[in-house]
Amino acid sequence: MFYDVIIVGGGLAGMRAAIAAHDAGAKVGLISKIHPVRSHSGAAQGGINAALANHPQGKDDTPERHAYDTIKGSDFLADQDAVEIMTSAAPGIIFEFEHWGCPFSRFEDGSIAQRPFGGAGFPRTCYGADRTGLYLLHTLFEQVVKRKIDVLYERFVTKLTVKGGRCAGVIVMNLHSGEFQAIGGNAVIFATGGSGRVYSVNTTNAHASTGLGVVIPYWAGIPLEDMEFIQFHPTGLDGSSILMTEGCRGEGGYLINNKGERFMKNYVSEKIMELAPRDITARAMQTEINEGRGFEDRYLHLDLRHLGAKKIMERLPGIREICLNFKSIDPIKDPIPVHPAMHYTMGGIECDKDGVTKIDGFYAAGECACVSVHGANRLGGNSLLDTVVFGARCGRHAADRVKKMSQTVDTDTLDSALKEEKERYKQLCSSSGKENPYTIKNELSQVMMDKFGIFRNETDMKKGLEEAKILKERFAHIRAIPDTGKFNYDFLWVTEIAGNIEAGLCIATGALARSESRGSHFRIDFSKRDDEKWLKHSLFTYVPEGPQLSYQPVTMGKYKPEERKY
């Protein structure tokens, strides 16, 4: 099987890349381990940023102001050329979705509704109630179906094939049959999403969001970038960590401690309050809990009751549904118990503004990529924008690249990689080890949460890194997996756990090395930002004994680093 452009991942970045590549004339194959409309993009709730200036309080908004807010929010680690590309493209992206039929919420004059979000100077977050990601996802899937793009779903990519510094295709397991298959291509785009399940004990991310998507290219020689920057969303639902959208606070919700105080006034200006950037809000919340002002020493209250039933039912119906189903509470009548939860990986596969990486023919887009537009801290509403802006750029660039290339399968390279994966499967099925891989998975996530969470320090991180290395050694001796043939999810999960371990080691190595506090990376032993030493991107290159760390400059522009105040 051969495609001009292979896309791995069926979420917003993957489908937008597929549409762009198809429209540029390429034969496209979209591969996903789950059906595209089940992708985690659909769990995004609050909105997508664009300087449309529709909101009465946002009439002076511009893409330049959006860019400044994004760069400031990133704690000046974002590459400014990439940010300006993203914010300039944003209005056109929204209108494109509107023309494709995306059901955005509307103001009374019929214009697309916008709400305030954290760290934004103006209300610029376009939304469809509190199901924005879901609406965007279904809108794109309609366009994929319309174009008759090949969608190979429930195919699990396990290996990237590379020969002589050039990507030749991928190896997949067809979960329906249990058979391995080599798929050749002149370009491969990874759009596999975030690595949230590295922190599986406390994350808003779906079970499909693992570290494997960034680690497969990492194993193939492609560097990862800025992996130490992990965003904790301030409001995960107590007990499950399901996302309670920032839109709750954008619509006027309060954060309350056990004294009945809106405590954010103690951390940021009263003008900003609950709409501070996520890193600042999450640290404030964790501080309140740590200092005994939480409920049951575990959570705080997100109070929407004053908004009234009409506004909640109109703008936050999904939040109410989740609260009723998962906590048996009604936010119209009851405060919502919330705590910070791991939410987003700012780092990922190192690539440029067209998704181009160090290996010829291999691209990355979306949360698995690091362009970098989010730097040390992402602003809410920018992740959906990132996926569709850079997904489209990636698809177009890949299609243009392959136009004049021969459609000849590199049979030798693919056959060799296919043989390797079949052998790995046999070894996993016949292992004589005794270790339980799922125990290792759970222990890893607890180590990451305890030692590489919201507040970090050298002593804990050194212990955590050593514990992660021991877990990797133990993983080499896991018990045999069953050879079930069809839908062998033990094979899938064990492969993903291997990816989580490698991603965790990168996060740990980068965090321990970075002796400063910047954005989401906060060290109590180095509590200040250090631009002289650390205004640079971390790069991680795979070697068997652990990540090899190096650095590269941040692309600066018109916005010079300044103290980050809100």
Side-chain angles (χ1 to χ4, degrees):
M1 189 179 288
F2 179 90
Y3 291 98
D4 294 326
V5 179
I6 297 168
I7 295 160
V8 181
L12 288 177
M15 286 201 285
R16 191 62 192 84
I19 291 164
H22 174 275
D23 290 354
K27 182 185 177 185
V28 176
L30 180 66
I31 303 172
S32 179
K33 67 182 177 185
I34 54 178
H35 193 279
V37 297
R38 287 184 56 218
S39 299
H40 193 55
S41 300
Q45 299 166 342
I48 176 170
N49 291 338
L52 302 185
N54 289 346
H55 195 284
Q57 296 171 10
K59 295 301 182 185
D60 294 328
D61 199 10
T62 63
E64 290 75 22
R65 289 175 185 249
H66 182 185
Y68 170 72
D69 287 343
T70 298
I71 291 160
K72 180 182 176 184
S74 79
D75 223 348
F76 296 91
L77 198 71
D79 289 329
Q80 295 190 22
D81 57 344
V83 172
E84 290 181 344
I85 285 169
M86 180 178 78
T87 61
S88 298
I93 288 284
I94 299 301
F95 297 141
E96 179 177 64
F97 270 98
E98 182 183 36
H99 295 161
W100 282 343
C102 185
F104 289 111
S105 295
R106 303 278 169 171
F107 287 135
E108 287 187 7
D109 65 359
S111 61
I112 292 171
Q114 295 182 282
R115 57 169 49 124
F117 250 47
F122 297 98
R124 68 169 66 95
T125 305
C126 309
Y127 62 93
D130 57 355
R131 299 184 175 109
T132 313
L134 186 68
Y135 294 170
L136 297 174
L137 191 68
H138 280 260
T139 301
L140 282 188
F141 187 62
E142 289 171 354
Q143 296 300 316
V144 167
V145 171
K146 176 183 176 182
R147 288 163 173 76
K148 298 182 172 62
I149 293 169
D150 284 359
V151 178
L152 310 176
Y153 70 93
E154 292 179 335
R155 263 68 162 196
F156 176 51
V157 173
T158 64
K159 190 177 181 67
L160 191 63
T161 64
V162 176
K163 182 180 180 182
R166 182 176 167 273
C167 186
V170 294
I171 306 301
V172 307
M173 173 184 264
N174 183 336
L175 294 172
H176 294 258
S177 65
E179 294 174 345
F180 283 94
Q181 185 177 13
I183 302 177
N186 285 329
V188 174
I189 300 172
F190 262 42
T192 54
S195 304
R197 284 282 148 180
V198 175
Y199 288 76
S200 61
V201 292
N202 179 25
T203 179
T204 63
N205 283 203
H207 288 282
S209 300
T210 74
L212 186 64
V214 298
V215 168
I216 287 174
Y218 173 65
W219 281 329
I222 298 164
L224 303 183
E225 180 178 343
D226 290 345
M227 289 294 287
E228 64 266 40
F229 295 104
I230 300 293
Q231 181 168 91
F232 283 77
H233 197 286
T235 52
L237 184 64
D238 180 55
S240 63
S241 299
I242 295 172
L243 178 66
M244 298 284 103
T245 174
E246 194 163 317
C248 293
R249 289 170 283 133
E251 296 296 346
Y254 300 153
L255 291 172
I256 307 289
N257 64 17
N258 65 13
K259 310 284 187 191
E261 297 174 316
R262 287 180 67 191
F263 57 85
M264 285 304 298
K265 66 178 185 236
N266 301 321
Y267 300 90
V268 292
S269 69
E270 293 201 27
K271 179 184 175 185
I272 299 294
M273 293 294 281
E274 284 85 3
L275 288 177
R278 289 177 179 173
D279 59 328
I280 294 170
T281 308
R283 282 196 293 274
M285 290 180 67
Q286 196 61 50
T287 298
E288 292 291 306
I289 294 166
N290 291 351
E291 294 182 356
R293 294 184 292 277
F295 298 88
E296 301 180 36
D297 295 324
R298 196 175 70 239
Y299 60 84
L300 297 157
H301 279 159
L302 173 60
D303 196 346
L304 309 181
R305 293 174 293 181
H306 58 285
L307 302 181
K310 184 175 183 293
K311 191 171 187 178
I312 291 171
M313 295 293 284
E314 178 187 320
R315 301 195 188 176
L316 300 166
I319 291 300
R320 181 169 183 261
E321 183 180 353
I322 290 166
C323 288
L324 287 167
N325 289 340
F326 288 89
K327 208 68 181 172
S328 298
I329 60 170
D330 186 346
I332 292 171
K333 303 172 185 175
D334 310 300
I336 305 169
V338 293
H339 56 69
M342 186 277 166
H343 182 61
Y344 191 86
T345 42
M346 268 75 72
I349 302 161
E350 186 215 359
C351 63
D352 72 7
K353 55 189 179 290
D354 291 310
V356 175
T357 71
K358 300 284 188 195
I359 287 185
D360 185 30
F362 181 79
Y363 297 76
E367 191 174 347
C368 74
C370 188
V371 177
S372 153
V373 286
H374 306 304
N377 175 66
R378 176 176 70 77
L379 291 189
N382 272 351
S383 61
L384 295 180
L385 181 61
D386 169 13
T387 63
V388 290
V389 169
F390 293 104
R393 289 179 67 90
C394 220
R396 283 192 292 268
H397 193 283
D400 287 344
R401 177 189 172 280
V402 303
K403 272 180 182 173
K404 296 178 181 177
M405 294 178 70
S406 166
Q407 293 189 336
T408 305
V409 178
D410 185 346
T411 308
D412 290 345
T413 302
L414 288 170
D415 285 351
S416 174
L418 182 63
K419 185 178 178 182
E420 286 175 17
E421 284 305 279
K422 287 179 176 179
E423 183 59 33
R424 183 171 73 86
Y425 180 82
K426 285 180 185 175
Q427 288 174 359
L428 285 170
C429 292
S430 61
S431 172
S432 59
K434 303 297 182 187
E435 291 283 356
N436 183 333
Y438 306 110
T439 300
I440 292 171
K441 167 188 169 286
N442 292 337
E443 289 181 18
L444 174 72
S445 65
Q446 196 65 59
V447 166
M448 298 307 295
M449 191 67 217
D450 292 345
K451 305 297 196 298
F452 304 94
I454 294 173
F455 295 107
R456 300 169 173 180
N457 66 78
E458 183 177 12
T459 302
D460 282 350
M461 289 194 292
K462 279 184 173 177
K463 288 179 184 173
L465 180 56
E466 288 308 309
E467 288 170 15
K469 288 177 179 177
I470 290 167
L471 290 172
K472 182 177 179 178
E473 291 171 10
R474 285 172 53 194
F475 188 78
H477 304 285
I478 59 170
R479 68 192 185 197
I481 64 168
D483 184 8
T484 60
K486 297 178 181 180
F487 289 99
N488 192 336
Y489 275 93
D490 275 294
F491 171 73
L492 182 149
W493 292 327
V494 162
T495 304
E496 289 182 333
I497 293 166
N500 283 351
I501 292 170
E502 295 289 359
L505 287 169
C506 290
I507 294 165
T509 302
L512 182 57
R514 187 174 284 270
S515 54
E516 67 159 353
S517 289
R518 185 184 296 270
S520 65
H521 173 67
F522 190 88
R523 288 187 58 159
I524 59 177
D525 49 350
F526 293 96
S527 59
K528 301 295 183 187
R529 194 179 80 195
D530 184 352
D531 290 333
E532 186 177 341
K533 186 177 180 184
W534 288 108
L535 186 61
K536 56 188 178 183
H537 296 298
S538 307
L539 292 180
F540 306 85
T541 304
Y542 176 73
V543 290
E545 52 271 22
Q548 199 170 68
L549 193 55
S550 60
Y551 298 94
Q552 69 181 16
V554 176
T555 303
M556 303 305 290
K558 66 179 80 166
Y559 304 110
K560 305 305 176 192
E562 61 189 45
E563 187 180 356
R564 193 163 161 250
K565 290 182 178 177
Y566 291 94

